[in-house]
Amino acid sequence: MEKEQDVTVAKSAGFCPGVKRAIDKVLELEAAGKKPVYTIGPLIHNKQVTDMLAAKQITSIDRPQDAADKSGVLVIRAHGITPRFQQEVQSCGMEVVDATCPLVKHAQNIIAQYAAQGYHTVIVGDGGHAEVIGLLGYTQGKGVVVSGPEEAARLPHFDKVNVVSQTTQKESVFYETAEEIKKHADECQISNTICQPTKDRQKETIELAKSADLVIVVGGRHSANTARLALLCKGLAPAVLHVETEDELEAAPVTHAKKIFITAGASTPNWVIDRVAARVRELRKPNATSRLSGLAGKIWRFLVRNCFYTAFAASALTYVCMRLEGVPADSRLLAFSWLFVYALTAFNRAAEAEPGQNRRFLTAAAILSGLFATGTAFLLGGGALTLCLLFLAAGFAYPFRHLLKLQLLSLPGTKDIVTALGWAFTCALLPAYEHGLLLRKASYLAIFYTILLVFMRSVTLGFTSANKDLIIGRESFYKAFGMKKTKWAVTLILLALTAALATLLTLTWKPALVEMLLIGHLYTVFIVIYYYSKSSTRSVKDETLIDGQFFVLWALSGLAAYL
């Protein structure tokens, strides 16, 4: 649970495990180059996510025969389907992947078990919902759906009946309905199939909504569990807003409420929740904030989100490497590192951009920067030009690696490794190469130092994306290996960075500079420790702090020149 400015964000808000598991499955298929990917019905009831999936050729169809390309993959979504439809799907001739939520599977198995013993089945849920339609298929034709106790009161008498629930049903409604059904049966089996994440979400909502003046429920208009969550809140709080995005928020109710509670349905991605929370806090800032401060903030967000800040960080690191290698300051190399890193960072960010981000601007700026980087490399010489073209080609090909059948670029951790190598080329290798100092031990250590430092930067940025549900694949080190292994890797890298600087110190190579960099190393350690336990979505502040280590090292390197 996150609380700031009397704004509380529910800890349970966002994707439930079943939805996240289904999305991970289709992303793994897409990342493996198995395109197109079709899902039986929308994978998730959230327009922002379905738009992202569609951009990756992950599209929704109603039946297998609707697939335009039979060589694609067919995915059964988390809601599940009926046994008869399952047979039709399995016999369609396409590759089929079952992403049915395990908790929905559990409900299906319970229904099938009691139906085989002659029990009628009453499902408490929404009759037209995909999950409920799938559950009905397991009742052997002896199933009925009711939405609550009022409808249950009109049921006929049963000799024996099994009462189950849609997994996202409100628990109090389920038990009230079950008590009513008991009156209509000689034998009544009550099977509470509401999933635990739903129970946790409802429990937290009940506890926190009661003390809030305003509850904001974030999620798709067509999401049943989100609508049910909003309905639950309306009985607990004075005011409730159901919004899909931050653009729907109005200033008046947000600024007038003393305490605000933000929650979301199981189909709402965390980055949408974070944007809503950020907008709420922005609206609640004191009016005393000056216009100049607001303008400065907008300019800073523009520079960070559009990769300009990262490009300057690369130039700062290039200066540090020049000092380490004994290379004289060279404005051409500093400009090249800015252009090179900007081109690759902006182009890949454009490919991974969320809806609403300026893909066209980033793409155009990246291509223009790449052309200028190539021109600068040409002026530096044939070797610089060859290496520049090689790295630029690899970087620009990365978003299209599956179309180009570049499976090597889809290996776990490839993105972070290639990023580190690209920065090492422009920040450390090229300066030493251009000045004929590549064979020095100091140059080797500077290249090694840069690779480790930039790799750790990429991995640390991955920490801030731990709960960010961007649809970007699984090639990053964190996404491939998980938090535990990543933390061990970062710890080892910190030790290796310390060892590299200590080695330079034992070589008596620029001791004042190395001592300053060791001091700057403390900032890097602080950043890593800070983000070990941080779970919120990556923000402008996070990128500022993490890339800020290069500016700290740059400042200390400059200071060392006067010592």
Side-chain angles (χ1 to χ4, degrees):
M1 181 174 65
E2 184 184 340
K3 188 171 182 179
E4 185 183 334
Q5 294 179 337
D6 283 324
V7 177
T8 304
V9 181
K11 183 180 179 180
S12 61
F15 283 168
C16 69
V19 168
K20 193 170 190 314
R21 175 177 174 271
I23 289 178
D24 283 347
K25 278 189 179 291
V26 297
L27 290 176
E28 287 165 3
L29 292 168
E30 189 272 342
K34 294 188 176 183
K35 293 182 179 180
V37 178
Y38 299 100
T39 64
I40 300 295
L43 191 67
I44 182 173
H45 294 140
N46 184 278
K47 186 179 184 301
Q48 291 75 32
V49 175
T50 53
D51 286 348
M52 282 184 165
L53 294 172
K56 289 181 169 286
Q57 298 183 46
I58 301 170
T59 54
S60 167
I61 58 176
D62 293 326
R63 308 192 77 82
Q65 51 265 40
D66 296 335
D69 187 348
K70 302 300 180 183
S71 65
V73 183
L74 201 57
V75 179
I76 299 171
R77 57 182 174 170
H79 305 84
I81 56 177
T82 66
R84 180 177 294 180
F85 193 22
Q86 180 106 19
Q87 290 177 356
E88 179 185 337
V89 169
Q90 296 289 355
S91 61
C92 72
M94 297 175 66
E95 181 182 350
V96 177
V97 174
D98 190 350
T100 304
C101 172
L103 298 174
V104 173
K105 284 273 191 189
H106 175 65
Q108 292 173 347
N109 292 335
I110 287 177
I111 292 171
Q113 175 189 341
Y114 281 97
Q117 299 174 33
Y119 280 75
H120 288 79
T121 304
V122 177
I123 303 171
V124 183
D126 303 321
H129 194 275
E131 179 195 327
V132 175
I133 293 171
L135 294 177
L136 274 173
Y138 288 83
T139 65
Q140 296 188 6
K142 296 187 292 184
V144 64
V145 182
V146 296
S147 61
E150 295 80 7
E151 290 187 13
R154 298 193 291 270
L155 289 173
H157 186 82
F158 301 105
D159 52 350
K160 52 183 183 178
V161 64
N162 177 32
V163 184
V164 299
S165 175
Q166 183 178 347
T167 56
T168 56
Q169 182 59 259
K170 184 179 176 181
E171 196 165 27
S172 61
V173 171
F174 171 71
Y175 280 121
E176 289 171 13
T177 306
E179 288 300 316
E180 179 60 37
I181 295 171
K182 280 184 180 180
K183 303 173 185 177
H184 299 256
D186 297 329
E187 181 184 342
C188 182
Q189 170 65 36
I190 298 175
S191 304
N192 185 347
T193 52
I194 299 173
C195 70
Q196 191 59 46
T198 295
K199 293 177 183 177
D200 294 340
R201 195 185 310 268
Q202 291 177 1
K203 181 180 178 183
E204 183 181 29
T205 298
I206 291 170
E207 289 176 356
L208 296 175
K210 288 179 179 177
S211 59
D213 301 296
L214 172 65
V215 176
I216 300 174
V217 182
V218 188
R221 300 289 181 195
H222 302 293
S223 168
N225 71 82
T226 305
R228 194 175 291 113
L229 197 63
L231 187 62
L232 171 65
C233 293
K234 285 179 180 177
L236 301 169
V240 177
L241 294 176
H242 180 179
V243 300
E244 284 196 354
T245 68
E246 73 278 10
D247 295 331
E248 298 176 28
L249 289 170
E250 295 180 3
V254 171
T255 54
H256 293 160
K258 290 184 178 179
K259 291 185 178 180
I260 296 178
F261 172 53
I262 300 174
T263 186
S267 58
T268 308
N270 280 4
W271 55 266
V272 173
I273 301 168
D274 289 340
R275 282 183 173 182
V276 170
R279 178 60 178 157
V280 167
R281 293 186 178 115
E282 183 180 343
L283 290 171
R284 289 171 69 82
K285 284 181 180 178
N287 293 329
T289 304
S290 68
R291 290 184 180 180
L292 180 60
S293 175
L295 178 62
K298 288 181 180 179
I299 293 172
W300 186 250
R301 285 193 293 273
F302 175 82
L303 292 174
V304 173
R305 288 175 177 170
N306 291 284
C307 309
F308 295 104
Y309 177 71
T310 298
F312 281 113
S315 291
L317 182 58
T318 302
Y319 174 79
V320 173
C321 291
M322 287 178 177
R323 297 273 294 123
L324 272 174
E325 295 166 339
V327 172
D330 190 327
S331 59
R332 298 173 306 160
L333 293 171
L334 292 172
F336 175 78
S337 65
W338 193 100
L339 293 165
F340 178 84
V341 169
Y342 182 84
L344 295 184
T345 305
F347 192 79
N348 280 273
R349 183 164 293 192
E352 300 171 354
E354 307 164 18
Q357 287 187 330
N358 196 340
R359 287 189 177 98
R360 290 183 179 179
F361 171 80
L362 285 171
T363 302
I367 293 172
L368 186 63
S369 186
L371 291 173
F372 276 110
T374 303
T376 307
F378 176 78
L379 296 176
L380 290 170
L385 179 62
T386 301
L387 289 171
C388 171
L389 291 174
L390 180 65
F391 275 101
L392 282 178
F396 279 109
Y398 186 83
F400 311 104
R401 57 201 177 281
H402 306 311
L403 294 176
L404 300 172
K405 306 298 182 183
L406 299 176
Q407 296 301 324
L408 179 63
L409 291 179
S410 294
L411 295 174
T414 301
K415 184 176 182 180
D416 295 333
I417 294 169
V418 171
T419 299
L421 292 175
W423 280 53
F425 153 66
T426 187
C427 297
L429 187 149
L430 191 58
Y433 173 79
E434 281 297 307
H435 289 269
L437 303 174
L438 191 57
L439 298 180
R440 283 187 178 183
K441 290 181 180 179
S443 297
Y444 295 149
L445 286 168
I447 294 169
F448 178 66
Y449 173 76
T450 302
I451 290 173
L452 292 178
L453 195 63
V454 176
F455 179 76
M456 189 171 63
R457 164 203 177 262
S458 297
V459 173
T460 306
L461 282 171
F463 289 167
T464 67
S465 297
N467 286 337
K468 186 174 187 180
D469 301 300
L470 282 174
I471 314 303
I472 60 174
R474 301 178 66 84
E475 287 82 15
S476 70
F477 192 91
Y478 162 74
K479 287 179 176 292
F481 296 105
M483 184 64 81
K484 186 175 181 181
K485 290 181 180 178
T486 300
K487 286 181 176 180
W488 273 108
V490 169
T491 301
L492 292 174
I493 292 170
L494 283 173
L495 293 174
L497 283 168
T498 307
L501 292 173
T503 302
L504 282 169
L505 205 59
T506 60
L507 294 173
T508 64
W509 179 262
K510 298 184 178 297
L513 172 64
V514 176
E515 287 170 1
M516 286 291 103
L517 292 181
L518 281 169
I519 294 173
H521 191 48
L522 295 175
Y523 179 90
T524 302
V525 173
F526 163 77
I527 287 296
V528 170
I529 293 173
Y530 175 69
Y531 284 105
Y532 257 30
S533 58
K534 187 174 175 60
S535 61
S536 63
T537 296
R538 184 190 302 180
S539 66
V540 169
K541 182 192 78 171
D542 299 324
E543 291 196 50
T544 300
L545 287 174
I546 292 171
D547 280 344
Q549 64 186 307
F550 302 119
F551 294 101
V552 170
L553 295 173
W554 166 77
L556 290 170
S557 298
L559 179 62
Y562 296 97
L563 297 178

